[in-house]
Each structure stands twice: as structure tokens, then as C-alpha cells.
Amino acid sequence: MKFGEHLQQEIFPPWRLSYISYDVLKKMLKSRQLDHKWNGDDEDEFVKKLENELEKVYDFVSAKLGEVEARISYCERTIQTFINNPTWSSDQNWTIMDDALTEVLFDVNDLAKFTRLNYIGFQKIIKKHDKWTGLQLKQDFIPQLRSKPLDKQRFDVAIVFISALHDLCRQRGKPRAATANSSNDSLTPSSDKGTVKYWIHPDNITEVKSIIMLHLPVSIYNKEKRYEASDSAVSNVYVDNEEFNLYTGLLQRDEGAEAIRFKWHGATSNPDVFVERSTHHAEWLDGKSIKDRIQMLSEDVHKFINCTLTADEFANRLRSKGTDPKIVDDCKFVASGVQQSIKNKQLQPVCRIFYNRTTFQLPDDPSVRISIDNDLTYIREDNFDGVVRRGPTDWRRPDVGIDYPFSYLDESEVLRFPYAVLETKTKKKAPSWLAKLLESHLVHEVPRFSKYLHGASYLFRDRIPLLPWWLSEMEIDIRKPRSTNFGLTRSQSFKPLIDGQYRRAMEAEEMRMEMVNETTLGRRSIDTLSGGSSPHRMQSTLVVKGDDPLNYGPLRQKNIKRKDKESGALGEEIVFNNGDIRLDMGDSSGGKKMFEDTMYIKDPNDPNNKIPVKKVKVEPKVFFSNERTFIAWLQFCALLLSVALNLLNFGDNVSRIAGAIFIGISAGIAIYALYQFERRAWMINRRIVGRYDDLWGPAVLCFLLVGALIVNFYLRFR
């Protein structure tokens, strides 16, 4: 598909005028090329038009980001007000704020797609310009693109803030309590068991983050300060030797193969560095794979690599700080093993891996942990080719920070990975929402993907004999057709839809299914204990009185003598049979209960027991559907009335008789349709649980029409 067509399909209609005028620029190039040879005046006008388009798009993105920040700040102040004033902390208020945050989240997702689409548009039109005119605008236009960058994912901070506020709404203002080992950077050894990795195309990064955020909050590394964009930066320096023995062992999955890296969060000024070692089938653990780590100051890393800071000295420092003796022994064991590998295998820093990480995890439940690494970049740290990149006292390059995309580096020393990496780590069965996400069009599974193996295979290909299998996957387009009713979309009225449903409808459906499962399980257990089967087969939460939801008709019960009578709304007397499920709507005058957030269903097994059910908001489309049905009946009445009037005005005696019959049928149908419309509207307003279909109306109508035709034929041909 051509990009122009793709752009038109992906445009968000309310923002249509703010997109790049791709077709106008393309037409400008083509028409002038056909009219005359491209000259300097044409070039100046085209560049000016291109700069105006870039400024228009960038100003729109900046304005929208400011609007998003203002809305987040408003939600934050409002939530803080709820927390400080318990009288305002009602479920309704928390729900309103939760919905407002969901709206902001959808706007962030749309803005990310908008930015990505326009960035590609500028790349495409500049490429066409260079191809058709023979000039090199790409190099000359780089300063303008850098001054108004559209190629960075700048929405992580907004997602983090929305996640924190969204989690507060779910917890009704009560912060979660973190467990001892909820952080991924604790000194506790961990295993890679249950870890699966996926690639995410840049078009889908923000959407995937948003979907995960609706279920898991963002885990923040440093909670002592307000979150900033630099807090998501993670840098790793991997060590290896000139023969790349560690690389080869990891790729072949040899027994005891290990990877050693030095990792830090945020800017290079961060004094804390983690020394991490991953071992495949460690012999000291009876063949189990393990990942262990120790923490030290960045100023001690060079001494540690050169073994001037020994493992014993490192352990003594920990003891002097009052560290637990067991932790000291474990850290000494890890430090000794790492130093021994560095010394025996002559390891040295060879590759830096940078990425911005967003981690999702419940602080009180580490069983599911998800991380997304975007802006993944590989940078050479070695001195193998005679180029001095590090000084003799440096363990990492001093000229490299965290300023992605590192445009100041030579292209031969840097590799920018085109996708984001999604990593899931589960200690039990993955929840259903996560399973749906991993099977969707948004991600592409890459088993056993390794960041270090991928980077080394590109940067040092002339030194490496073996290559990882997934390099062939880089040649294909990992994007897939959009799955039906999955992901974040909008309705025709631009309302947020999650998996094709309104958020409240989705939550209500999940709650209903949970109640159905619980009720069904309860019924089965009672039947098992009693040794018999129940006359009611519970498959639905709400069942109209006397109806069997499986047979879709009245359930005939014999030998039931007891009947309860209760006063219904508008004075109607409702008769409840034994075993019916009843819906308490308050007193006959439409009392207070009708407007509460919770309704109650009487348990069919125990009439004295009530099951609470959260009231579901009736969508406006339900009323419109009832109205459309009424109008459809009136349209048929109008058609029948037109036929009847023609027969009366232009026919003979027989035709007039038939016309009179049709007029009567038309009037009767109109009155019946009005009655059904009013009855259904009354039931919808009061959330009455009953039949909304019409069993007799269409059948009687067909019978009357056939009867009228028979009478007409009889009178005509007798």
C-alpha cells in the first residue's frame, strides 16, 4: 500500500487539518517536474512549504502535550483532594476520575500515532524529492528536523503519571504496600525461567504500554523523587574478550556459559552501578540457571575490573556498613566469581547497550512482571581495531551519555534497533488479558532473543563465526493485520473503546461472568451434596421470572403451591414463582434504592439471602434502538395506509372494502407499536428484567395481512 493511502486510512478525523499535507507536497513535486525542469525557485518554494508543514505538526504536538500535562495535573490535584477530604471520596467520584484518566490515556495513544505517522511522512516526501529532483535535501534538512524532533517517543512520562493516578483510583486513594523483593534490582538471585521476549513495532509501542497500564501499574525505580524522562534510561556495558568466548558460549548455550555486565539507571552521573552475572546451568546450583548481582560505586568499577579492589576488600566494606552476614557472603561469592572470569578469560568492555525501560508490576504481587525497552541502541566500547574509545583508566566511554539517538557518533560505531523489546516474566499462569495481548497483532514473539548477542553480531560480525537465528526476522515486516475487537480504538463518535467495548460495559461483562461462574459452581456443589439435580439450570445472572435461559421459554414447574406476591412499580401486581430470581428496585414509588450503586438479587437457593450486583449504566444506544424499532413499525403502517387510501379513492366496491380492512389493520398496528414502545421505554428506565422481544406482534400482523388478502380474493372472484 502506498503511504498516501495508508496516511488517509490512519488519520484521526478530529486532527485531520494538523497532519502533514503529504498529497499537496507530492503533487507540487510531480506537477512542476512535468511542467518544466526543477529549478532553484521551485526548490526554495518546496523547502519553505516543507518547513511550514514541519512547524505546523510540531506546534500541534507541543500544544497537545501541554494539554495532556494540564489534564494530568488537574486529575492529580482532584485525587489529592479526595484523599484529604474523605467525605468526597465516594465510589462515584473515583469512577469519574478513572474515566477522565482513561480519556487522557487514549489521547496520548492517538498523539503517539500522530507523531509517528507524520515523522514517516516527512521521511517519505524528502526521499521522493531527492529521487525525482536529483538533489540532496535530506542532508540539508537535518538541522530543521533536529530542532523540531518527531522521531522520539516522548510520551513515557505522561504514561507513568497516568498509571500512578489510575492505580490510586483503583485503590480508592490507598497506596499499595511494596514487598521486599518487588524490585528487579534487588540483590536477591533470580532465574530467567518463565521469561518470554517479543518485538513491538514502533507504531504499536504506546498502545501496548497503554493496554498493560490498564491492568498493571508502572513500577518506578526511584520513588524518592518526581519521575523524569531520564529515569527510564538504562545503560549496560558488557565485557568479553577478543575471541568473543562469552558470546559463543551464550549462543551455543554451553554448560556454565555466562554473561557479565555493568548496569546503571539514569544519567552517567549516577554513582550506583550493578555488576550482574547470568549463568546458564551453573554447576554450583546442580545445573540451574541463575542471575545474580552486586552493587558498588561507579568509581570502584575500574578497580574491580583490574582486581585492585578484591572480593575480600569489597566484602569488608559491606561488613563495615552493618550489612547482613549472609548477604555479605553471597556478594563476596559473586564478586570473586566475576573477578575470576575477568582475569582468566581476559575480559574487557566491548559493547554498551542503552534503552529506555518501562516496567509494569504490582508492588504487592511480583508474580507477573512486564518490561518494555524502546530506543534500544548498541555502541562500541572496545579498542580492538586500534581506535581508542576508552582511556586506560576508563571502564566506559566518557563521550557517550543517554542522549538518544546519539547522532554525534559515527554510524559504524552505533546500531539502533528498529523495534521495542517486550519481556514478560510470570511465576504462574499468565492472566487472560496478558495471553490475549501476546497472541494479538501488536507483538511478535522472538524466543531466546538476547540484546547482547544481537548487538555483538552486528558490531563485530567480522570477528564472530556464529550468528543468532533471529537475524532473518529482521528482513520481514513484523506488523500484522489488526485483530478484530482488540486493542485501543474509538467508536464512530470517537469514544474510547477497549477491545471493541466501552470501558464500563467491559467491566460489567467481566463482573457478570464472574458472578455466573460463582453461581454455577455454587449450584453444582449444592446439587452434588443433595444427590439430585435442580429444576433451574443457572446460566445467567439475571433471569426473568419463570423463564429457563437454556430453553428460552416458560419453565413449567409442577407440584409448586406456594406463591409470593409483591407490589410492583406503578401498582402492577407481580407474581413470583418458587425459584425465581428477583430484582429489588426499591418500593413501588421508585424509592431511594433505585438510584443506589448496588442492586440485590435474591438467591434462588435461599430466599432470605441476597446477592449484591453493581448496577450497570444503561447506554443511550439502548433507547435509540427502541425508538428505531418503533419508527420501523410506523413506516410499515404508512406504507399499508397508502395502499388502503388508493384502494378507497380509485377502486370499486370490492376495492373499497379491502381498503377499509387495510386501514383498520394499519391503525391497529400503529396503536400496538406505540404500546410496545412505551412499555419497553418504561422497562429500560426502571431496569426491569424481562423479555424485550416481541413474540406475538409479527405473527398476528402476518395473520391479519393474509386474512385481508383472502377476503379480497373471495369478494373479487365469488
Side-chain angles (χ1 to χ4, degrees), residues 66-206:
E67 179 185 327
V68 166
E69 292 174 0
R71 292 165 66 187
I72 292 175
S73 298
Y74 168 77
C75 292
E76 185 178 9
R77 292 193 302 270
T78 306
I79 289 174
Q80 195 61 42
T81 303
F82 292 167
I83 295 175
N84 296 333
N85 297 276
T87 55
W88 291 13
S89 182
S90 64
D91 286 344
Q92 183 179 6
N93 286 340
W94 286 113
T95 301
I96 291 173
M97 292 311 304
D98 204 6
D99 290 340
L101 288 168
T102 302
E103 288 276 1
V104 178
L105 181 65
F106 269 74
D107 285 347
V108 170
N109 181 51
D110 292 332
L111 190 58
K113 292 181 178 179
F114 173 89
T115 306
R116 170 76 181 170
L117 202 58
N118 282 279
Y119 173 68
I120 296 175
F122 282 107
Q123 285 185 318
K124 293 284 187 181
I125 198 64
I126 292 175
K127 184 178 179 181
K128 284 187 179 295
H129 169 276
D130 293 352
K131 179 180 178 181
W132 290 355
T133 64
L135 303 176
Q136 294 297 322
L137 178 60
K138 183 177 181 180
Q139 295 298 326
D140 298 335
F141 204 70
I142 285 178
Q144 288 89 327
L145 289 175
R146 287 180 179 174
S147 63
K148 296 178 173 60
L150 297 175
D151 58 335
K152 295 182 180 180
Q153 292 283 350
R154 300 178 297 170
F155 311 104
D156 290 343
V157 175
I159 290 177
V160 170
F161 286 145
I162 294 173
S163 172
L165 298 176
H166 180 73
D167 193 51
L168 277 175
C169 290
R170 281 187 295 206
Q171 295 295 110
R172 297 301 187 254
K174 300 177 182 178
R176 297 181 184 270
T179 57
N181 295 328
S182 61
S183 174
N184 191 45
D185 286 318
S186 65
L187 299 181
T188 305
S190 61
S191 172
D192 285 336
K193 186 177 181 181
T195 301
V196 187
K197 296 182 180 179
Y198 301 81
W199 290 348
I200 308 175
H201 193 275
D203 294 350
N204 303 324
I205 292 176
T206 305

Side-chain angles (χ1 to χ4, degrees), residues 415 453-461 464 467 471 474-475:
L415 170 68
L453 295 183
H454 184 85
S457 65
Y458 268 92
L459 297 177
F460 308 99
R461 183 165 295 189
I464 292 175
L467 298 176
L471 293 186
M474 300 294 296
E475 305 298 329

Side-chain angles (χ1 to χ4, degrees), residues 288-301:
K288 294 181 181 179
S289 298
I290 188 69
K291 179 188 291 184
D292 41 27
R293 59 176 65 87
I294 58 176
Q295 183 178 350
M296 63 177 58
L297 297 176
S298 60
E299 60 187 24
D300 294 330
V301 174

Side-chain angles (χ1 to χ4, degrees), residues 179-404:
T179 57
N181 295 328
S182 61
S183 174
N184 191 45
D185 286 318
S186 65
L187 299 181
T188 305
S190 61
S191 172
D192 285 336
K193 186 177 181 181
T195 301
V196 187
K197 296 182 180 179
Y198 301 81
W199 290 348
I200 308 175
H201 193 275
D203 294 350
N204 303 324
I205 292 176
T206 305
E207 183 173 359
V208 172
K209 289 182 179 180
S210 302
I211 292 173
I212 299 174
M213 195 220 73
L214 293 172
H215 302 275
L216 291 177
V218 175
S219 177
I220 301 176
Y221 173 68
N222 185 3
K223 298 182 179 180
E224 300 299 326
K225 68 181 188 68
R226 188 174 179 85
Y227 186 84
E228 299 175 356
S230 60
D231 293 343
S232 64
V234 180
S235 302
N236 304 267
V237 172
Y238 281 81
V239 296
D240 212 328
N241 52 31
E242 295 192 33
E243 290 76 26
F244 285 89
N245 291 333
L246 296 191
Y247 169 92
T248 305
L250 289 173
L251 185 59
Q252 297 180 156
R253 301 182 65 80
D254 295 338
E255 297 293 323
E258 60 183 0
I260 299 174
R261 64 181 179 181
F262 298 87
K263 172 182 175 182
W264 68 96
H265 295 263
T268 54
S269 58
N270 186 358
D272 297 324
V273 175
F274 291 93
V275 183
E276 299 185 347
R277 177 183 63 177
S278 300
T279 308
H280 179 65
H281 292 177
E283 59 180 9
W284 65 87
L285 291 176
D286 297 329
K288 294 181 181 179
S289 298
I290 188 69
K291 179 188 291 184
D292 41 27
R293 59 176 65 87
I294 58 176
Q295 183 178 350
M296 63 177 58
L297 297 176
S298 60
E299 60 187 24
D300 294 330
V301 174
H302 181 71
K303 301 175 185 177
F304 180 79
I305 294 176
N306 292 336
C307 298
T308 55
L309 175 63
T310 63
D312 291 332
E313 293 175 354
F314 178 73
N316 291 333
R317 290 185 181 183
L318 294 179
R319 291 191 187 96
S320 64
K321 296 178 181 178
T323 308
D324 184 87
K326 185 178 184 305
I327 296 179
V328 172
D329 293 339
D330 292 340
C331 290
K332 180 181 177 181
F333 175 77
V334 175
S336 176
V338 171
Q339 280 193 333
Q340 185 177 358
S341 296
I342 291 176
K343 182 178 180 180
N344 295 341
K345 299 177 182 178
Q346 298 181 349
L347 305 179
Q348 57 180 300
V350 296
C351 178
R352 180 184 300 197
I353 301 178
F354 168 85
Y355 47 84
N356 285 306
R357 167 165 288 188
T358 307
T359 305
F360 303 87
Q361 179 185 350
L362 288 172
D364 52 354
D365 183 13
S367 60
V368 178
R369 181 182 178 88
I370 303 174
S371 63
I372 297 179
D373 301 333
N374 53 281
D375 301 334
L376 182 57
T377 309
Y378 302 92
I379 302 171
R380 291 188 65 167
E381 289 275 353
D382 66 289
N383 296 330
F384 294 155
D385 54 359
V387 178
V388 179
R389 300 180 178 88
R390 293 178 290 104
T393 59
D394 295 325
W395 61 275
R396 60 186 175 187
R397 293 179 61 160
D399 60 330
V400 177
I402 59 172
D403 43 349
Y404 177 85

